[in-house]
Structures are given as C-alpha cells and as structure tokens.
Amino acid sequence: ESSMPTDRIEGFLHPDTYTFTRGATEEQVIGTMVKRALEEHKKATANTKAGVQLNLLEAMTLASIVEKETGDPSERAVIAGVFYNRLKKGMRLETDPTVIYGIKNYDGNIRKKDLQDPSNVYNTYKIKGLPPGPIASAGADALRAVAYPSTHAFLYFVAKGPGSGSHHFAPTLEEHNRNVKKYLQARKKSG
C-alpha cells in the first residue's frame, strides 16, 4: 500500500535510527519514517500465516498492542496468538496499554473506573475487536509476530513479576487466576 489508511500518524512512524541531511523538512522526516513503516509491514506480511487476514490499519494496530505488551521479542508471536485467539472467539482484547492510551492525563495508575469507562474508544475492556488505530509505533519484531502468530490455546497472560519482562500464559480463566496470584505474590515480595 502506498498511503496510510488513516488520518492519524500514530503507529506509522517506524522506530529506528535515521540519518537526515541538515535542513531536512518535517515533511521529509515524517515521510521517510512512514515509508519505512510501510516497507517493514510489507516485509513482515511477505510471510503471513495461513488464515491471518488483517488490512494495513488492523495489522499496525495489533502490532502496536503487541509492542506495548512485552519487551521480550521471544514472546511477541505468543502474545499475538493470544489476541488472535480472543478475536476469533469474539472475546474482548482486554489489554491495559490500549486503555492507558485513551486516558487523558494518565498519571501512571490504571484504575477500575478506567477499565469501566465506555467513553474511551481505546478501552478494549469495553469495546469488541481492535481499537480505532495504533497506540504506538511497532518494531519489526511485533509486525512479524502479527503476520505469523504462534498457534496455541492460550487466551490469557500476566507478567511473571515486576521487572521480569516475561509472562505466564494460560488457556483457561482458572489457570490465569492462579498465575495472577503468583504475580501478586511476586509483586508483594519485591515490595
């Protein structure tokens, strides 16, 4: 695709190191970053898993969520798979980074009222499907993960503990709730 499918630039500025000549205009800088994002999307989707059918905006949106959910590149395809599984079952994505993105003046704390706010169009605890657009710029790993997600039965994930960067995955709510307890215990220990 040669142009962006949205009027918002969010999610279409590829994160990387760029070299520009002195005097480069804002339009040239943005144009280069958008062009690179579209190239990375095209590269990632050159190897798309059978059954994965996302348009450019949907792919960039889901990749941005995967990008925000984990800093561990080895988990990105698993997390993408969790979101595909949820979407296929008609479940809400229920992902905190989308909610946070939609909160005006976010202060670092997500509250129950934030998760219940139906006026936040990025509140994936309330809306079904993907939010209206990307919440961040996704790197190449997240784009590849969305094009070729892991196949598994997981529907849930929670951090293993504060600062760990990795997650416990679960196919059932019961198992997920046990993992949440482990996370809360780890958080309490790290105090």
Side-chain angles (χ1 to χ4, degrees):
E1 302 210 27
S2 60
S3 64
M4 294 188 349
T6 177
D7 59 356
R8 297 185 60 230
I9 198 85
E10 185 80 64
F12 287 88
L13 300 173
H14 191 74
D16 204 351
T17 303
Y18 295 88
T19 304
F20 295 100
T21 57
R22 186 181 303 272
T25 66
E26 185 177 297
E27 289 80 10
Q28 288 169 321
V29 171
I30 290 171
T32 298
M33 294 176 78
V34 168
K35 183 178 177 203
R36 178 72 190 285
L38 297 173
E39 289 168 0
E40 290 296 329
H41 171 264
K42 190 174 182 178
K43 268 196 258 179
T45 56
N47 184 27
T48 299
K49 193 172 198 171
V52 171
Q53 296 178 321
L54 296 177
N55 65 35
L56 175 61
L57 181 60
E58 291 167 339
M60 297 303 260
T61 300
L62 187 53
S64 75
I65 297 169
V66 170
E67 183 74 34
K68 294 299 276 183
E69 280 289 3
T70 184
D72 183 348
S74 70
E75 285 190 344
R76 289 196 176 115
V78 180
I79 287 176
V82 169
F83 291 136
Y84 276 111
N85 290 347
R86 292 181 77 85
L87 289 167
K88 274 190 242 163
K89 290 184 173 292
M91 296 172 71
R92 290 181 181 86
L93 294 183
E94 297 186 353
T95 174
D96 293 357
T98 61
V99 177
I100 290 165
Y101 181 82
I103 297 173
K104 282 186 178 24
N105 306 314
Y106 179 64
D107 66 4
N109 292 310
I110 192 165
R111 295 168 179 82
K112 192 173 185 178
K113 70 178 178 92
D114 297 320
L115 301 178
Q116 295 171 343
D117 180 4
S119 71
N120 177 350
V121 297
Y122 288 87
N123 185 350
T124 54
Y125 285 82
K126 288 292 174 188
I127 64 162
K128 285 200 177 217
L130 292 167
I135 60 168
S137 292
D141 287 338
L143 290 167
R144 282 191 296 271
V146 166
Y148 210 94
S150 296
T151 301
H152 52 66
F154 301 137
L155 292 170
Y156 305 93
F157 61 94
V158 65
K160 286 184 177 174
S164 82
S166 59
H167 296 82
H168 289 291
F169 295 91
T172 65
L173 185 57
E174 182 181 59
E175 188 176 332
H176 175 64
N177 287 337
R178 285 195 298 270
N179 290 338
V180 169
K181 280 183 186 169
K182 287 181 204 171
Y183 166 75
L184 293 172
Q185 288 167 349
R187 194 169 87 177
K188 200 173 185 180
K189 282 180 192 169
S190 73

